[in-house]
């Protein structure tokens, strides 16, 4: 012990990479447990920006074991490119381990992702087109190719044939595409297997060894609660479970191995891709927040939709994750706005105007819901230099207090800039850090 889970509490891109890198400083292992290279996690250190898609955000700490867990879907081309890039920048990657049970994204998964979106036309989800959905679909259909299959040519070929068979019709438009040739795929994937072999391991055992020794393990989530395939705004979601419970399944630990669950959130809202976003803003205010916050996707470069902070959705995220702490990122972006709105309920715009205190389960309600707001005072001061809660303007402190009270979860950390040092540890957060260290030391 302890095990600390880090999850996105909104629609992704909350700053999970930065928080994971920060907590990894005190951790012995960091484990990614779901998603794939649809994720883009940013770390900014000494002015240098690192963008990670598959490799855990603990990789810059050379003594921290970094695990890609069984719940992740891996595009081996992206993973080998990421390894090359890190090495080029002189980052030691020898502490990386990859679960032999993780599933692989194959060329046909990417084709099916593209084709699926094209077919949906105006109704498209706005996926990252990285093949995530089709790969998880094959996993559930028991037609997946796993990391361990890369180590045996005969098995690999057999499994690719079996996986391609039921897809013949949907892959017909790509029939002449050389990327679909059985021999080509097999050779390409065997090459990846050769490259990745030194990293492939029984990662469940590695994680348990550390937990048993009382060491700290950070479980790094991707995406966010509202993109969860079960609990999010289905069908406008990703194909995995970004909620904390999935850390157990995707890393091979039990619920008792988890001690803390950190929900990472922005001080406002963003969403990339289609789907309901009840607090969405448009016009000049949206542009201003987007520019100040640099709200362009880390993976696809798409402009992110922006909106006011949605406390109805956030309280729901706190419940389904059992959050024990909030990390509120990008508070600095809100400087200069006279008034801030936070959404505390939804209203159906229909004639009856029904109100919703809780996040509605019904898709139609969610699509039409409009936010009802409480207005809070803004502040004009820049926050980037603040390092203590007392350095913050009173209005910023009141904003944070309103959030913590409404959601019922303490704020442990506040982000005031992209850099890893641009944070404020609150009293609650410092207490948790001390308790974590004490638990590790006592074990
Ligand atoms: P992730 O997917 O949750 O890891 O988040 P992303 O990396 O996709 O997006 C978060 C963006 O916000 C990145 O560009 C970070 O460098 C940046 N960022 C993180 N924390 C802060 C903060 O407190 N203030 C500002 N201004 N930027 C931040
Ligand atoms: P991180 O880990 C933000 C969104 C896509 C799309 C939907 C489904 O960086 O927070 P997919 O390719 O997963 O089938 O797309 O999910 N999406 C993300 N949005 N951050 C992410 O990851 C995301 N990963 C997927 O934009 O709306
Ligand atoms: Mg991201």
């Amino acid at each position: 012990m302890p095990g600390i889970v880090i999850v996105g509490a909104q629609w992704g891109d909350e700053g999970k990479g930065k928080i994971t890198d920060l907590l990894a400083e005190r951790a012995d292992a960091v484990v990614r447990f779901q998603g794939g290279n649809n994720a883009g996690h940013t770390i900014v250190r000494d002015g240098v920006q690192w963008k990670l898609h598959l490799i855990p955000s603990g990789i810059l700490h050379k003594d921290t074991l970094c695990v890609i867990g069984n719940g992740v879907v891996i595009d081996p081309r992206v993973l080998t490119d990421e390894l090359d890039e890190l090495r080029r920048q002189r980052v030691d990657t020898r502490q990386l381990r990859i679960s032999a049970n993780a599933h692989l994204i194959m060329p046909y998964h990417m084709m099916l992702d593209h084709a699926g979106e094209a077919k949906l036309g105006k109704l498209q989800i706005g996926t990252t087109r990285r093949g995530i959905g089709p790969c998880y679909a094959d996993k559930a259909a028991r037609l997946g190719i796993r990391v361990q299959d890369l180590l045996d040519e005969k098995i690999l070929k057999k499994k690719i044939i079996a996986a391609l068979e039921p897809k013949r019709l949907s892959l017909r438009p790509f029939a002449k595409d050389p990327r679909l040739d059985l021999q080509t795929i097999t050779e390409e994937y065997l090459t990846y297997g050769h490259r990745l072999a030194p990293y492939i391991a029984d990662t469940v055992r590695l994680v348990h060894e550390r937990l048993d020794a009382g060491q700290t393990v950070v479980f790094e989530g991707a995406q966010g609660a509202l993109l969860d395939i079960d609990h999010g705004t289905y069908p406008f979601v990703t194909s995995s479970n970004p909620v904390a419970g999935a850390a157990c399944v995707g890393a091979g630990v039990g619920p008792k191995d988890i001690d803390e669950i950190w929900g990472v959130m922005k001080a406002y809202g963003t969403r990339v891709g289609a789907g309901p976003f009840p607090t969405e803003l448009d016009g000049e205010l949206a542009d201003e927040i987007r520019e100040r916050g640099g709200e362009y996707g880390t993976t696809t470069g798409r402009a992110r939709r922006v909106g006011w902070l949605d406390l109805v959705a956030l309280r729901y995220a706190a419940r389904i994750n059992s959050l024990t702490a909030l990390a509120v990122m990008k508070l600095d972006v809100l400087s200069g706005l006279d008034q801030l709105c936070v959404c505390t309920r939804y209203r159906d715009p229909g004639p009856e105007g029904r109100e919703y205190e809780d996040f509605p389960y019904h898709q139609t309600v969610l699509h039409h819901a409009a936010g009802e707001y409480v207005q809070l005072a803004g502040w004009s001061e820049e926050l980037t230099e603040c390092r203590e809660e007392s350095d913050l303007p009173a209005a910023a402190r009141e904003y944070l207090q309103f959030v913590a009270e409404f959601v019922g979860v303490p704020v442990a950390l506040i982000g005031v800039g992209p850099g890893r040092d641009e944070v404020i540890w609150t009293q609650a957060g410092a207490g948790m850090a001390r308790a974590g260290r004490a638990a590790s030391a006592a074990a």
Side-chain angles (χ1 to χ4, degrees), residues 11-13 16 38-41 126-128 222-223 237-238 272-273 302:
W11 275 282
D13 301 326
K16 299 174 292 293
N38 46 351
H41 294 182
T127 74
T128 58
Q223 291 81 53
V237 293
T238 191
V272 55
R302 289 179 288 178

Side-chain angles (χ1 to χ4, degrees), residues 6-120:
I6 294 170
V7 286
Q10 295 160 315
W11 275 282
D13 301 326
E14 299 92 347
K16 299 174 292 293
K18 171 171 166 174
I19 298 296
T20 305
D21 172 55
L22 268 178
L23 295 189
E25 195 170 295
R26 290 180 280 119
D28 300 284
V30 175
V31 190
R32 260 290 296 272
F33 59 86
Q34 45 70 233
N37 60 308
N38 46 351
H41 294 182
T42 315
I43 303 169
V44 179
R45 273 194 179 205
D46 306 323
V48 180
Q49 192 182 58
W50 305 81
K51 291 181 179 183
L52 298 167
H53 300 288
L54 278 167
I55 295 186
S57 304
I59 197 72
L60 301 185
H61 302 270
K62 77 174 178 34
D63 297 323
T64 305
L65 173 77
C66 282
V67 170
I68 301 182
N70 54 276
V72 176
V73 287
I74 300 174
D75 181 332
R77 186 188 56 77
V78 174
L79 179 54
T80 47
D81 283 353
E82 208 162 308
L83 276 168
D84 288 341
E85 179 59 20
L86 285 169
R87 283 216 203 113
R88 209 177 53 78
Q89 309 225 39
R90 300 191 191 294
V91 175
D92 190 346
T93 55
R94 278 175 300 178
Q95 76 276 33
L96 178 72
R97 292 293 174 273
I98 305 166
S99 166
N101 287 349
H103 281 248
L104 293 169
I105 295 182
M106 307 297 288
Y108 43 85
H109 291 141
M110 279 171 275
M111 293 172 188
L112 291 171
D113 200 353
H114 271 98
E117 286 284 88
K119 216 176 200 173
L120 282 171

Side-chain angles (χ1 to χ4, degrees), residues 114-181:
H114 271 98
E117 286 284 88
K119 216 176 200 173
L120 282 171
K122 275 209 298 223
L123 297 176
Q124 65 178 241
I125 296 159
T127 74
T128 58
R129 304 217 182 4
R130 301 297 192 264
I132 306 292
C135 183
Y136 276 116
D138 265 359
K139 175 177 177 176
R142 286 145 304 174
L143 288 170
I145 318 283
R146 297 189 295 171
V147 167
Q148 55 186 281
D149 301 324
L150 293 175
L151 304 176
D152 186 316
E153 179 171 355
K154 249 167 80 192
I155 291 182
L156 179 63
K157 209 176 231 169
K158 256 197 197 158
K159 291 199 173 179
I160 297 174
I161 293 170
L164 282 172
E165 175 56 30
K167 299 181 181 62
R168 266 208 229 142
L169 193 63
S170 38
L171 285 173
R172 198 179 281 163
F174 305 94
K176 295 212 168 78
D177 194 316
R179 289 173 302 165
L180 265 191
D181 175 68

